[in-house]
Amino acid sequence: MEQRKNGLLASIVIAVAIVVATLVGANAILHRNDRPKTVSVKGSAERDFVSDLVVWNVTILSHSATPIEGLRDVERQQGLLRNFLISKGVTEEELEFGPVYYAEDVTGYYDNKQERYVELKNGYNVSQTATVTSSRVDELDKVARTVGELIDQNVTAQASNPRYYYTKLASLKLEMVAAASADARERAAQIAEQSKAKLGNLRRSSLGVFQIVGKHSEEDYSWGGNFNTSSKVKTVSITVTSEFLLK
């Protein structure tokens, strides 16, 4: 008799467990699609801007038998270069001369007869770089194009291409992020409307990298972002990926 009771009790427990498991499973099926409905979009913004700062380097070069001879020649050329730049409108505040560098000019070759490498000492290379930094971008562009005139003054100068920067870049980036975020919301609103839903709050957002390239250039976009310094007129772009809730 006792054995029959125990068996009945075990059967009841198993039945209750099956019912509970069934209810839990059914509830899971009913609510498995209850996750928030969302829409993910990518917004973008692009803008052209003109650089407001230019940096230009001119390097004086001299080759001599000794370092001191090279230094004296560089000092001579420095005076001529300074006068030239000042005559073209460059101010003393915009002009800065860096330190003088020198290095021994050594070449060599392998001598098959001696079966060894032979070094040839050809004197010394001495140089000094002048840097012009100015907010007068257009005027400095004109000066850079006249540097060839220094040849007539027996100045050996190697001029780099001007580099162009924008001093208000931090503010511009904030404006671009705001514009790209607004574009993302507008796109999401259009998708929600077409889906007969209402756009809810922003759930999450991620910022892409800034791409700054020369206007109308063929520069490739980089995963790490581009920062063009060779073009005076540039194009900046940014993307924002945003996820919104749908009601």
Side-chain angles (χ1 to χ4, degrees), residues 23-185:
L23 290 174
V24 170
N27 187 66
I29 294 173
L30 289 173
H31 293 281
R32 67 183 179 181
N33 294 322
D34 284 357
R35 290 176 298 179
K37 293 183 174 63
T38 63
V39 59
S40 182
V41 294
K42 180 173 289 187
S44 63
E46 184 176 287
R47 188 173 302 174
D48 296 334
F49 65 97
V50 180
S51 305
D52 60 1
L53 185 74
V54 60
V55 179
W56 179 49
N57 292 335
V58 182
T59 300
I60 301 166
L61 304 171
S62 179
H63 184 81
S64 57
T66 65
I68 191 64
E69 289 179 8
L71 175 61
R72 288 170 180 165
D73 186 43
V74 164
E75 289 175 341
R76 175 190 66 79
Q77 294 188 67
Q78 181 200 104
L80 294 171
L81 176 60
R82 181 187 296 275
N83 292 338
F84 172 80
L85 294 175
I86 297 300
S87 71
K88 295 295 183 179
V90 177
T91 66
E92 290 285 357
E93 291 73 21
E94 295 171 330
L95 178 60
E96 180 180 4
F97 282 89
V100 175
Y101 293 97
Y102 75 93
E104 191 171 13
D105 183 6
V106 179
T107 58
Y109 65 96
Y110 185 80
D111 191 319
N112 291 320
K113 293 182 178 180
Q114 301 183 54
E115 295 185 345
R116 67 183 182 87
Y117 187 80
V118 178
E119 286 190 346
L120 301 176
K121 296 184 178 181
N122 307 305
Y124 292 84
N125 293 317
V126 184
S127 64
Q128 184 179 35
T129 298
T131 301
V132 180
T133 305
S134 177
S135 59
R136 299 179 298 119
V137 178
D138 291 338
E139 294 179 40
L140 259 295
D141 276 349
K142 295 177 182 178
V143 175
R145 290 194 290 268
T146 66
V147 70
E149 297 175 15
L150 288 167
I151 296 176
D152 291 335
Q153 301 183 39
N154 195 26
V155 174
T156 306
Q158 188 176 73
S160 68
N161 291 323
R163 303 189 305 278
Y164 302 96
Y165 301 92
Y166 188 59
T167 59
K168 304 180 185 67
L169 190 58
S171 298
L172 178 59
K173 285 184 175 181
L174 291 177
E175 294 174 11
M176 296 295 293
V177 171
S181 299
D183 182 58
R185 176 171 286 277

